[in-house]
Amino acid sequence: MHGNDGKSGKHDVHETARHHGSAHGAETHGAEPHRAEPHGAAPHGAEPRDAEPHGAGPHGAEAHGAEAHGAEAHESGGHDKHAGHNPGMFRDRFWLSLLLTVPVVIWSAHIERLLGYTAPVFPFSARIPAALGTLVFLYGGLVFLRSAAGELRARQPGMMTLISLAITVAFVFSWVVELGVLRAEALWWELATLVTIMLLGHWIEMRSIQQAQGALKELAKLLPDEATRITSGGTETVAVSELREGDKLLIRPGERVPADGTIVRGSSTLDEAMITGESRPVERGVDDEVIAATINGDGVLEIAVTGTGEKTKLSGIMRLVADAQSSKSRAQLLADRAARLLTWVAIGSALVTLVAWLAVGATIDVAIVRVVTVLVIACPHALGLAVPLVVAISTAIGARHGLLVRDRRGLEEARKLDTVVFDKTGTLTLGEFRIVALAMADGVTREQVLRLAAGVESQSEHPIARGIIRTASEEGIEMPTVSDARGLPGRGVAATIDGVTYEMGGPALLEERSADVPASLTATVSDAKKGGQAVIYLLQDGRVLAALAIADAIRPESYEAMRALHALGVQVTMMTGDAREVANAVAAELGIDDVLAQVLPEDKARHVREIQESGRRVAMVGDGVNDAPALATADVGIAIGAGTDVAVEAGHIVLVRSDPRDIPRIITLSRASYRKMVQNLWWAAGYNIVAIPLAAGVLAPWGIVLTPAIGAVLMSLSTIIVAVNAQLLRRARL
């Protein structure tokens, strides 16, 4: 990312000039003598007040590993209830258990009486419920028993403990009856249907979680299996795993880039949408970076590998997504505590239910059925799913839009933001010079001026010259044929185009040529002075043809970002090391609420703290390296990744692309995610207020009694409702 406002310290302009050649003599308004230009370049005849140092060095560290964050598993208090589980395992156990459950139900005496039929009788037919019910318990129920053992070892009983307690009580009771120890009715059909329904519910849950976390698998699929490596004798096809840094690769049109690298030959457009979220292909040429998994356009590229395997930006993104999906948020911690509390409430309710039914003269089998139903219906299954599923979906949605959540607390807190503090250069602005205003003399068109100016400056490597050329190129102006290009020491540059000599420079050139600025140009020149912008003049034979105001141009996206933030009720502050005139000019154009100018890097965190002390919830948006103290101080630190640097350590959220419109998207996603969490928590916890008393049999005097199987259905239905509601988050419009 460009332009770290005031981040490189102050450079003496005369010292800089000795390194970069003669000045262009551009006119400024009281320019500061110690203000460095972007890239640390010499003043192109100008001493523009917005000329900030462009930052020293790369945007951030190499993509970091998950180990840096100490990610916790999606779990309840440290024990993952689904450790080692997958949807396929639950699916297989469900179908086989269902196959075994059907005969258990058919040959159940209770069901026969209830439906008024007689099941076929043959030797040992009476033992079918016990035999197959035991198989269902040992096969289908084993997964719950193992998970419950893990919860108990961790001293954190939860939903698996409740399920296991319910099916174990039913199993033991049924065998006690089967062996004739008690005269009662066994619970084989209740046990079998309960296990089968619970397996179905967990299968659905695991599928939902897997789908939500599918972003990681989709990212992993983006890398090709093979690459074309350039050798001394030609090319060879090798596995991507064999690539090493420094290898030269050939990337043909339409192929995916197999590794991070730098283009050494060729140019093309690349589709980076899967990495950056940018829908439009981007132009890439020699010395530009390319990212693994992006798609090459029509050109043929040769690249030098700079990162493979775990060192690629894609791997960094995958680690960030995985860390975010596994890290704990406040809402998750609350849900975990509620689930543990509900577990003890359920066990207590089951004991009270047993005592109460026996006290009123119920038989032991009736009392046990009530106990099992309470244990089943009170399982905090939906509660355990309420938050993790929303988080998994929200982080996946964010990753698809180039918003990488390093810490879920950051995404959670973003909904509360009422102030966003932006770094200026490279964030709200391009961090590169552009022509920001242009005035022409009578009889001269804008196209003519851009063509001539770009031609005169075409042989210069000065940042201002590069900015003029970029502006012309972006407007589709063709570069003219230039001859006799030369520097004018202390004044500017000159060149011959179409047989006519043109000059470009600042006030020194005007003075030497005794040239007057036409009245049609004075308003533009005056406005540029007030904004601290550099002014370059185009001359022909001592006549001023045009005045060009040069500055660090505002990103087109910044305008929309400011409107969106204000629509969300968020106040915007710009904090920059730039001169106040420059900062105020940018702020006025964008409609920014407050400006903090001439701020040193070491003072940024203090300013953020002062805003917080006024009662505001603050997000800081910066490059994640030099702005690290401010990012860490803010309630939410948002680090700019500038397209490829996705691993900055200071921010809660990393923006893959340098698009300020992503900030309101973060707030919108945070608010939508929070609404879903609250809805799910209320449903998951609130349903038990009605469900537990109903399962205990408080309505039994009126003939309303739930069986364990119906309790399992209701519990599973509650889980499905939570899962479906979480999936609706995908409809959020960012």
Side-chain angles (χ1 to χ4, degrees):
M1 191 189 84
H2 296 305
N4 306 316
D5 300 339
K7 297 167 185 169
S8 301
K10 296 182 179 181
H11 300 260
D12 187 274
V13 90
H14 304 294
E15 181 66 25
T16 310
R18 286 197 296 271
H19 288 289
H20 295 277
S22 60
H24 225 341
E27 184 175 351
T28 63
H29 181 63
E32 295 179 309
H34 298 288
R35 178 55 72 186
E37 294 186 332
H39 299 292
H44 192 60
E47 298 171 358
R49 303 193 71 157
D50 66 338
E52 308 168 48
H54 237 311
H59 310 299
E62 187 67 47
H64 54 291
E67 64 275 5
H69 306 295
E72 300 174 270
H74 148 211
E75 58 189 50
S76 181
H79 174 73
D80 187 353
K81 67 184 174 70
H82 287 319
H85 297 172
N86 61 75
M89 183 265 291
F90 280 111
R91 179 198 61 215
D92 296 343
R93 289 179 183 264
F94 163 72
W95 285 116
L96 184 53
S97 295
L98 178 62
L99 186 64
L100 296 172
T101 296
V102 170
V104 173
V105 173
I106 291 173
W107 272 274
S108 169
H110 180 82
I111 300 298
E112 287 182 281
R113 291 195 305 273
L114 185 67
L115 300 181
Y117 73 92
T118 301
V121 178
F122 49 85
F124 303 107
S125 62
R127 302 299 181 198
I128 287 176
L132 299 185
T134 299
L135 287 177
V136 171
F137 174 78
L138 295 176
Y139 176 70
L142 185 61
V143 61
F144 304 116
L145 297 173
R146 286 175 174 171
S147 297
E151 290 182 346
L152 294 174
R153 281 195 300 269
R155 297 181 180 180
Q156 293 178 349
M159 63 189 70
M160 293 301 189
T161 301
L162 283 183
I163 296 171
S164 298
L165 188 57
I167 62 176
T168 301
V169 168
F171 177 75
V172 172
F173 176 81
S174 296
W175 267 113
V176 168
V177 173
E178 200 73 28
L179 296 173
V181 179
L182 285 177
R183 292 184 60 85
E185 193 165 298
L187 304 175
W188 293 119
W189 81 271
E190 289 95 337
L191 169 64
T193 53
L194 174 58
V195 171
T196 302
I197 292 170
M198 294 302 299
L199 287 170
L200 176 61
H202 281 261
W203 176 23
I204 294 171
E205 177 189 354
M206 291 297 295
R207 282 189 61 188
S208 298
I209 293 174
Q210 188 178 64
Q211 290 170 0
Q213 296 176 333
L216 292 177
K217 292 185 177 180
E218 292 304 312
L219 286 171
K221 293 177 183 176
L222 294 177
L223 278 177
D225 297 323
E226 297 179 331
T228 303
R229 184 164 58 191
I230 300 172
T231 65
S232 57
T235 62
E236 62 177 355
T237 300
V238 298
V240 170
S241 59
E242 296 179 17
L243 297 178
R244 299 292 182 267
E245 292 186 25
D247 284 350
K248 298 293 194 300
L249 304 181
L250 180 67
I251 314 296
R252 299 181 179 89
E255 290 184 342
R256 288 191 183 272
V257 178
D260 290 356
T262 302
I263 298 174
V264 296
R265 181 178 297 175
S267 62
S268 184
T269 58
L270 282 97
D271 182 357
E272 299 181 349
M274 68 294 297
I275 303 296
T276 67
E278 176 58 60
S279 59
R280 295 171 297 180
V282 294
E283 296 282 345
R284 293 286 185 261
V286 175
D287 294 332
D288 287 337
E289 291 184 354
V290 293
I291 311 171
T294 56
I295 303 173
N296 185 25
D298 296 329
V300 178
L301 299 175
E302 292 184 17
I303 70 168
V305 175
T306 59
T308 62
E310 293 298 306
K311 295 182 179 180
T312 63
K313 307 305 180 187
L314 178 64
S315 294
I317 291 174
M318 292 175 65
R319 284 192 291 272
L320 286 176
V321 174
D323 289 354
Q325 291 184 339
S326 63
S327 63
K328 290 280 187 179
S329 68
R330 290 185 179 88
Q332 180 61 62
L333 293 172
L334 175 63
D336 290 345
R337 288 195 296 270
R340 287 195 293 271
L341 177 61
L342 184 58
T343 298
W344 290 113
V345 169
I347 294 173
S349 299
L351 292 174
V352 171
T353 298
L354 177 64
V355 172
W357 277 95
L358 293 176
V360 298
T363 59
I364 186 65
D365 59 327
V366 171
I368 293 296
V369 168
R370 295 295 98 228
V371 168
V372 171
T373 306
V374 167
L375 292 174
V376 170
I377 210 166
C379 286
H381 211 214
L383 195 58
L385 187 62
V387 173
L389 189 54
V390 171
V391 169
I393 292 172
S394 62
T395 51
I397 292 172
R400 256 196 333 268
H401 287 82
L403 318 174
L404 302 181
V405 182
R406 278 192 64 233
D407 188 338
R408 275 165 43 183
R409 291 181 178 87
L411 182 60
E412 189 174 297
E413 290 296 314
R415 66 184 177 86
K416 304 175 184 177
L417 293 174
D418 53 24
T419 302
V420 176
V421 179
F422 281 95
D423 193 29
K424 182 181 85 67
T425 306
T427 303
L428 296 176
T429 65
L430 294 171
E432 300 173 338
F433 284 132
R434 293 290 193 279
I435 300 172
V436 296
L438 176 60
M440 297 78 67
D442 295 338
V444 185
T445 66
R446 179 180 178 88
E447 289 75 19
Q448 289 173 327
V449 171
L450 290 176
R451 178 176 178 271
L452 295 172
V456 174
E457 299 283 7
S458 61
Q459 305 302 309
S460 175
E461 293 297 324
H462 196 282
I464 287 182
R466 295 294 93 190
I468 293 171
I469 295 169
R470 284 192 201 95
T471 303
S473 176
E474 289 167 358
E475 296 193 21
I477 304 298
E478 292 186 9
M479 189 73 69
T481 302
V482 178
S483 61
D484 192 27
R486 60 194 184 278
L488 305 174
R491 293 159 295 164
V493 293
T496 300
I497 301 174
D498 301 331
V500 180
T501 298
Y502 298 92
E503 298 172 318
M504 294 193 70
L509 181 62
L510 295 183
E511 184 177 351
E512 182 172 298
R513 300 291 185 259
S514 300
D516 295 323
V517 179
S520 58
L521 277 60
T522 55
T524 297
V525 172
S526 177
D527 290 342
K529 289 179 180 180
K530 293 177 182 177
Q533 298 165 349
V535 180
I536 305 293
Y537 300 96
L538 174 65
L539 285 76
Q540 177 192 350
D541 297 329
R543 177 191 172 215
V544 178
L545 300 182
L548 295 78
I550 313 295
D552 182 9
I554 296 173
R555 291 181 180 275
E557 303 87 358
S558 296
Y559 298 93
E560 186 178 340
M562 298 304 106
R563 289 193 296 269
L565 285 170
H566 286 138
L568 292 170
V570 177
Q571 179 176 305
V572 180
T573 297
M574 185 175 72
M575 184 160 55
T576 176
D578 220 354
R580 184 162 296 280
E581 291 88 346
V582 175
N584 287 340
V586 173
E589 186 165 351
L590 289 174
I592 290 172
D593 303 294
D594 192 23
V595 176
L596 298 171
Q598 297 175 305
V599 178
L600 296 175
E602 56 268 28
D603 293 333
K604 289 188 174 183
R606 176 175 60 83
H607 284 288
V608 169
R609 210 159 29 246
E610 288 173 352
I611 298 172
Q612 290 173 316
E613 289 170 355
S614 68
R616 314 285 297 178
R617 307 285 292 189
V618 182
M620 174 68 194
V621 185
D623 70 6
V625 180
N626 293 303
D627 292 323
L631 288 166
T633 302
D635 297 288
V636 181
I638 302 173
I640 297 290
T644 57
D645 293 315
V646 299
V648 282
E649 299 293 336
H652 299 93
I653 300 170
V654 179
L655 306 185
V656 176
R657 53 190 180 181
S658 299
D659 189 341
R661 293 177 299 180
D662 287 337
I663 309 304
R665 291 187 182 115
I666 290 170
I667 297 173
T668 301
L669 179 60
S670 175
R671 292 178 180 179
S673 300
Y674 182 75
R675 283 196 300 270
K676 289 299 176 189
M677 286 184 190
V678 171
Q679 291 167 4
N680 280 357
L681 286 173
W682 271 109
W683 174 260
Y687 123 98
N688 286 284
I689 298 173
V690 176
I692 291 178
L694 194 61
V698 294
L699 297 182
W702 293 273
I704 300 175
V705 179
L706 300 182
T707 66
I710 294 176
V713 169
L714 291 177
M715 192 278 291
S716 297
L717 183 61
S718 174
T719 303
I720 292 170
I721 290 172
V722 167
V724 170
N725 189 51
Q727 294 292 341
L728 293 177
L729 181 60
R730 299 183 186 276
R731 297 184 178 182
R733 299 183 65 179
L734 303 187

